[in-house]
Amino acid sequence: MNARSVRPLPILRLIDPVWPPLLLVACCLVLAFAVSPFWWLDALAILGCGVLVLDTAARYRQYRVLRMALRQANGVTGQARRLFRRARSTWCTRRAALAAAHAEGFGREARALVCRWGYRPWHIFPDGTFTRRSPFLRFAFWRSVVGLERRGQGHPG
């Protein structure tokens, strides 16, 4: 049976590339409305929900772009591999990239590539989180989280 012939439920296809930020949104909502006794912690949790909703939209856009690149390259090669490599450093981007590869029938190849790079399912924090060069301290990281990718020379906008 071909990997492309197995069709998951439509809602699962929508959630597959973005479930990590959605899970974090749910955690923030639980913190804000069920656990937190402090108003300032509620406000931070609500702010976190807003950022994570933007991250969810950015990951879904990334998923669509990667899926088109994989389809055009007919595998994880060339431009698709470069885009896939850029998506490896965070849990959310890696999940979107793997979901795109799986949707196009290159899931095993992509999973093997990610494992060769040294990433495992428990690698949740971004690369370098607990160092002086933490991505959380970089403007480029937050720009990518909210979906404001840097414009390249070939950018249409």
Side-chain angles (χ1 to χ4, degrees):
M1 181 182 265
N2 188 348
R4 291 183 190 200
S5 66
V6 178
R7 300 268 185 221
L9 295 172
I11 190 71
L12 294 179
R13 277 187 283 162
L14 287 174
I15 293 176
D16 190 34
V18 294
W19 70 263
L22 289 177
L23 176 68
L24 294 173
V25 165
C27 291
C28 283
L29 288 174
V30 166
L31 179 67
F33 296 115
V35 178
S36 172
F38 305 109
W39 69 268
W40 57 269
L41 194 54
D42 292 342
L44 284 176
I46 297 298
L47 178 67
C49 281
V51 169
L52 287 165
V53 165
L54 292 173
D55 186 40
T56 302
R59 290 317 115 228
Y60 196 73
R61 277 193 306 273
Q62 175 192 19
Y63 164 77
R64 288 191 330 230
V65 167
L66 264 166
R67 196 165 169 190
M68 283 180 33
L70 288 164
R71 188 177 301 148
Q72 289 172 350
N74 198 24
V76 187
T77 60
Q79 177 65 18
R81 186 178 176 114
R82 281 189 290 280
L83 290 172
F84 200 84
R85 188 171 184 74
R86 279 189 11 203
R88 72 182 179 162
S89 64
T90 69
W91 181 39
C92 297
T93 58
R94 214 170 26 251
R95 180 65 233 151
L98 287 171
H102 182 71
E104 289 301 317
F106 306 111
R108 284 191 177 152
E109 179 185 349
R111 174 79 55 198
L113 186 61
V114 167
C115 287
R116 261 197 322 265
W117 288 334
Y119 294 99
R120 300 293 184 261
W122 58 84
H123 290 133
I124 294 174
F125 292 106
D127 293 347
T129 295
F130 303 106
T131 66
R132 272 187 262 147
R133 301 190 65 203
S134 174
F136 295 116
L137 302 175
R138 307 236 177 252
F139 185 68
F141 173 80
W142 292 105
R143 191 174 50 221
S144 74
V145 165
V146 296
L148 301 173
E149 296 295 331
R150 199 172 65 189
R151 293 181 181 202
Q153 290 179 342
H155 194 277

